[in-house]
Amino acid sequence: MSAQDHQVELVAIVGSLRRASVNAAVARAAAGVATAARVTMHDISDLPFYDGDTEAAGLPEPVERLNRVVGAAEGLLLFSPEYNSSLPAVTKNVIDWLSRPPKVWDGLPVGLVAATPGQRAGLGVREHFTTMLDRRPMRVFETLGIGSYGDKLDADGELTDPETLIELADYVDRFAQFCRDGAE
Ligand code: FNR
């Protein structure tokens, strides 16, 4: 099997805890349309808030699990809402834990997709994400914004808009290539 045939193992983490999260629907759609990558969702609903005392007392099991899953992946894709023009605490909390020892994300490719009801397609969260991680030791990929999501979902809240699915598949496959390029 050549390097190009190999499906890149990506972990997807959603920065929204609500059951009907549109960003979770986008993550599911990404897992369905990707051809160059296998996208596995990782649930962080039991991840505690970062707290230095908790860390000093020994990493809780959900943090250990996060480190294990992200450490084993070839790339990390965050699917995040935009809150108040920036990252929601849920997304930021994942980043804060991952930035701490054992720092499993050193050298890891990271991308972010943001879905919002408005037309700006999460420009604020995407810009803050890129700026924030610029000096970190992981490899930051470009972001993808999906705006006006109300027009792109079916009655069950799943992402079904054909153009958006093509755009999403292209983004994930290019991200997979970015992961491959760094591994060579
Ligand atoms: C929002 N929302 C929002 N949307 C946006 O485009 N820009 C913003 O700054 C904000 N700010 C914001 C703050 C807070 C506290 C909430 C609860 C919501 C709307 C947000 O994009 C929308 O609720 C998404 O559907 C949330 O993502 P999930 O949970 O559907 O994945």
Side-chain angles (χ1 to χ4, degrees):
M1 193 165 76
S2 78
Q4 289 299 319
D5 296 332
H6 152 81
Q7 278 211 314
V8 176
E9 295 289 341
L10 302 181
V11 58
I13 295 182
V14 179
S16 169
L17 302 178
R18 70 188 192 96
R19 270 192 305 277
S21 164
V22 175
N23 285 280
V26 172
R28 287 193 295 276
V33 295
T35 57
R38 192 165 70 141
V39 181
T40 306
M41 312 274 285
H42 180 67
D43 179 25
I44 45 123
S45 52
D46 58 357
L47 190 69
F49 265 124
Y50 175 79
D51 172 342
D53 294 340
T54 305
E55 182 183 34
L59 297 183
E61 207 280 325
V63 180
E64 296 274 23
R65 202 166 355 109
L66 174 74
N67 285 336
R68 227 174 17 248
V69 168
V70 172
E74 292 173 85
L76 167 63
L77 273 182
L78 296 169
F79 292 83
S80 179
E82 173 177 282
Y83 280 2
N84 297 302
S85 306
S86 190
L87 293 110
V90 174
T91 307
K92 183 64 163 52
N93 191 43
V94 171
I95 290 171
D96 290 343
W97 274 118
L98 288 174
S99 72
R100 301 293 302 161
K103 302 190 183 198
V104 294
W105 74 354
D106 279 9
L108 189 74
V110 183
L112 179 136
V113 180
T116 66
Q119 289 178 1
R120 281 172 53 84
L123 195 62
V125 62
R126 292 188 288 123
E127 282 180 353
H128 286 179
F129 169 79
T130 305
T131 310
M132 180 176 60
L133 296 189
D134 192 35
R135 290 166 184 274
R136 305 281 118 201
M138 81 289 307
R139 296 175 58 225
V140 184
F141 188 59
E142 67 197 69
T143 62
L144 174 68
I146 299 174
S148 307
Y149 67 48
D151 303 334
K152 296 167 181 166
L153 307 172
D154 69 10
D156 296 324
E158 297 300 332
L159 181 71
T160 49
D161 176 59
E163 274 180 30
T164 310
L165 290 175
I166 290 170
E167 209 180 339
L168 192 58
D170 176 66
Y171 176 81
V172 178
D173 287 343
R174 284 188 300 106
F175 180 61
Q177 188 57 50
F178 178 80
C179 297
R180 281 197 185 105
D181 291 345
E184 281 164 7

